[in-house]
Amino acid sequence: MRFGIVLFTSDRGIAPAPAAKAAEERGFHSFFVPEHTHIPVKREAAHPVTGDASLPDDRYTRTLDPWVALGTAAAVTERIELSTAVALPVEHDVITLAKTIATLDHLSGGRVSLGAGFGWNTDELTDHGVPPKKRRTVLREYLEAMRALWTQEEAAYDGEFVKFGPSWAWPKPVQQQVPVLIGTAGTEQGFQWIAKSADGWITTPYENDLLLERLQLLSKVWQDAGREGRPRVVALDFKPDAERLAEWERAGVTDVLYGLPDKPEADVLAYLDRLSAKLAPLGLSA
């Protein structure tokens, strides 16, 4: 089991670069950041935690661009994985996003993975021209198109929402395949989507009590789809508990993420020291 950090970036508190550098120095495997381009003031979409239009944290309205944030982190680190929990690819031009991710992977030496979501905030998607009822289809086309741009010398794509003719696009990612992880509720529909189009699952923080049951379903769907090996499973945790983490690992969790507090740099570094000390007996090694 590997341990990582997720920083809910904003225009206050610790910046991504020192946070990622400190996480790497303390032995963490990965560094994740979220994405929201904006939050419409008037919307119909309910937040999955609050159940209504209210937000559980005002950082939703203040998030930094994830790829710029990870670029700054890449410049001051050497080993830590750079990822998103989660990005919203369909809110971008697919060709330029593919270029951005490939460039970051190229410059970081192959350390990028893409954690993506379908987008709970359908009003946000609407502002980007994404039909809410088609958001899963749009994301699938985006991933297929980006993979073509990342791997083919002359890439082309002809879908319902993404179309472009034979094109050259460099750089290619260092990795043969940029890992794609999908953050979504642990349902059979979601797992079937993952088994068809992705490499793993990022759990939601409000279903940890049902995680073992969810993992059994994911394993079955994965195998029924004919996928080899096991999916990567990134679980969001709050406080380390050795017994629970061992149970998660046996059930198939490969990575566990811990969130950083929205505080100044000195406070966050102290928190990382305390967290790494708790995880050291469980395998974290600087």
Side-chain angles (χ1 to χ4, degrees):
M1 178 179 283
R2 300 171 298 198
F3 299 106
I5 290 297
V6 57
L7 172 64
F8 201 144
T9 57
S10 76
D11 55 354
R12 66 188 181 212
I14 192 169
K21 186 174 187 292
E24 181 176 86
E25 291 172 346
R26 288 157 178 78
F28 287 93
H29 174 266
S30 54
F31 180 73
F32 285 68
V33 297
E35 176 173 35
H36 280 286
T37 58
H38 69 301
I39 299 293
V41 174
K42 291 185 177 181
R43 61 188 189 278
E44 297 179 358
H47 189 277
V49 171
T50 65
D52 56 33
S54 63
L55 299 170
D57 192 312
D58 72 343
R59 286 178 292 180
Y60 282 86
T61 67
R62 312 178 74 96
T63 51
L64 305 183
D65 179 274
W67 305 109
V68 174
L70 292 177
T72 67
V76 298
T77 57
E78 297 179 353
R79 301 178 304 279
I80 201 164
E81 177 189 9
L82 306 168
S83 193
T84 47
V86 292
L88 299 165
V90 301
E91 297 185 350
H92 300 267
D93 176 85
V94 66
I95 297 173
T96 55
L97 180 60
K99 170 80 76 175
T100 295
I101 295 173
T103 299
L104 180 59
D105 197 67
H106 170 74
L107 294 177
S108 68
R111 292 191 278 140
V112 175
S113 62
L114 170 60
F118 301 121
W120 63 266
N121 193 342
T122 53
D123 302 279
E124 181 181 350
L125 297 178
T126 297
D127 284 351
H128 287 282
V130 179
K133 293 183 179 181
K134 289 282 191 176
R135 63 190 189 274
R136 290 174 177 80
T137 301
V138 180
L139 181 57
R140 177 173 288 118
E141 289 192 4
Y142 263 59
L143 294 177
E144 291 172 351
M146 289 195 294
R147 285 169 175 148
L149 290 162
W150 291 336
T151 60
Q152 299 172 15
E153 184 167 340
E154 292 188 5
Y157 192 84
D158 185 15
E160 181 181 357
F161 298 96
V162 178
K163 296 178 184 290
F164 55 86
S167 306
W168 295 313
W170 272 269
K172 304 299 184 187
V174 172
Q175 302 175 88
Q176 192 171 31
Q177 176 177 306
V178 175
V180 175
L181 312 169
I182 300 298
T184 186
T187 65
E188 185 167 0
Q189 179 189 29
F191 290 157
Q192 287 176 348
W193 202 101
I194 289 170
K196 182 177 180 180
S197 300
D199 306 296
W201 177 42
I202 300 175
T203 71
T204 56
Y206 44 85
E207 59 184 352
N208 281 356
D209 291 342
L210 300 173
L211 185 55
L212 299 182
E213 178 182 330
R214 300 284 195 262
L215 290 172
Q216 289 181 343
L217 177 59
L218 174 60
S219 179
K220 180 181 184 303
V221 171
W222 189 264
Q223 293 174 5
D224 289 348
R227 295 291 298 268
E228 296 182 357
R230 303 175 70 180
R232 185 174 174 186
V233 177
V234 180
L236 306 180
D237 196 17
F238 298 98
K239 292 183 179 181
D241 179 276
E243 184 176 345
R244 185 183 67 251
L245 290 172
E247 190 174 38
W248 283 5
E249 185 173 23
R250 289 192 297 269
V253 173
T254 57
D255 302 76
V256 177
L257 301 185
Y258 293 93
L260 295 184
D262 184 22
K263 293 183 177 180
E265 183 171 332
D267 294 335
V268 173
L269 297 184
Y271 170 81
L272 277 171
D273 285 336
R274 295 192 298 272
L275 179 62
S276 59
K278 293 177 181 178
L279 293 173
L282 305 178
L284 183 70
S285 177

